[in-house]
Amino acid sequence: MIRLSNIYKSYPVGKERLQVLKGINLEVQKGEMVSIMGASGSGKSTLLNILGILDQYDSGEYYIEDTLIKNLSEKKAAHYRNRFIGFVFQSYNLLSYKNALENVALPLYYQGVRTKERNKKARNYLERVGISEWAHHLPSELSGGQKQRVAIARALVTQPKMILADEPTGNLDSKSSQDIMDLFKTIHNQGVTIIIITHEKDIAEQTERIITIKDGIITN
């Protein structure tokens, strides 16, 4: 599904450059559910941004299926993001002035899907994540766990091949965290590749494989 070979990434700090990723080699197979663990500053957020085609890398190669993801224009990067990847964030990233249904339908709007069709699909995915009765509620009227379910439905609505989840349980209590992980497992069982960035060991242990990153290098 994805393959990273000898990925390096640095950022300018004053007149120097800070090397964040120092030769990352990683493969994730289609349909796998893996977690990436690392302390703050380990490079896991930078790695996530590269996986999500949100940031370029300095050198190396990143393939999604057989497509080399490198030096893409913003338009091309957006095309591959929309085609391959669904994102779930710790802070949910829902639009406060749109209800749950409208938030889930938004990616389809950008794909040019007609209103009736995108609302139908959005309602279907809200049902799949068990929150259809909250379709017309604003994010401010939802609990943290409900907001994350909306975010997951939004990530799924374009039928991506891979879900990237960045600390998806970070703002949730233990019961809501487990509910969200159970939902991810259900999605995974349907064949979707899932990569979860987390610092929580009990969350990571529920995935098929734990990848540990330390000081910009994968250590396992």
Side-chain angles (χ1 to χ4, degrees):
M1 176 73 197
I2 68 166
R3 176 165 55 87
L4 289 84
S5 177
N6 214 27
I7 295 287
Y8 282 81
K9 177 66 180 178
S10 61
Y11 294 102
V13 179
K15 293 181 179 179
E16 305 295 321
R17 291 194 74 84
L18 175 65
Q19 196 74 50
V20 181
L21 299 182
K22 305 167 184 174
I24 294 286
N25 294 292
L26 173 64
E27 287 192 29
V28 177
Q29 303 302 320
K30 184 178 180 181
E32 258 196 299
M33 182 176 177
V34 305
S35 53
I36 298 175
M37 288 195 77
S40 180
S42 62
K44 64 183 189 296
S45 294
T46 300
L47 178 56
L48 177 87
N49 287 340
I50 289 170
L51 290 171
I53 324 178
L54 297 169
D55 201 358
Q56 308 244 14
Y57 49 94
D58 298 337
S59 61
E61 293 180 330
Y62 171 31
Y63 287 90
I64 298 180
E65 294 188 329
D66 294 322
T67 302
L68 177 63
I69 306 297
K70 191 163 191 170
N71 299 326
L72 302 179
S73 67
E74 182 45 46
K75 186 176 180 183
K76 221 28 191 268
H79 166 75
Y80 283 115
R81 279 196 297 270
N82 291 338
R83 185 177 163 200
F84 287 112
I85 303 165
F87 294 93
V88 179
F89 301 98
Q90 178 178 352
S91 54
Y92 322 122
N93 286 18
L94 302 177
L95 296 180
S96 61
Y97 55 89
K98 289 189 177 291
N99 64 32
L101 185 75
E102 291 166 331
N103 267 285
V104 174
L106 198 59
L108 299 174
Y109 168 80
Y110 291 117
Q111 288 187 353
V113 179
R114 292 175 184 272
T115 305
K116 188 176 179 182
E117 179 65 17
R118 68 175 181 257
N119 286 344
K120 182 182 175 184
K121 284 188 173 182
R123 194 175 295 279
N124 176 41
Y125 276 92
L126 283 171
E127 202 169 302
R128 282 180 65 178
V129 302
I131 201 171
S132 58
E133 67 273 23
W134 294 87
H136 297 290
H137 286 70
L138 293 171
S140 60
E141 300 170 313
L142 304 176
S143 69
Q146 288 169 331
K147 283 188 242 190
Q148 197 59 293
R149 283 175 182 269
V150 173
I152 291 169
R154 181 186 58 192
L156 289 170
V157 76
T158 56
Q159 296 180 292
K161 299 187 177 185
M162 175 169 67
I163 296 283
L164 291 180
D166 187 11
E167 300 282 1
T169 60
N171 286 338
L172 304 178
D173 60 45
S174 56
K175 183 186 183 305
S176 297
S177 294
Q178 190 54 54
D179 288 344
I180 292 302
M181 285 306 296
D182 289 342
L183 181 54
F184 275 129
K185 289 174 195 172
T186 300
I187 295 162
H188 165 242
N189 288 337
Q190 293 163 358
V192 179
T193 306
I194 299 177
I195 300 175
I196 298 174
I197 305 281
T198 184
H199 67 274
E200 300 173 87
K201 198 164 185 292
D202 59 325
I203 295 298
E205 285 173 345
Q206 296 184 60
T207 65
E208 295 176 312
R209 181 161 59 106
I210 300 174
I211 297 154
T212 306
I213 185 169
K214 184 178 181 182
D215 297 330
I217 297 168
I218 288 175
T219 59
N220 63 333

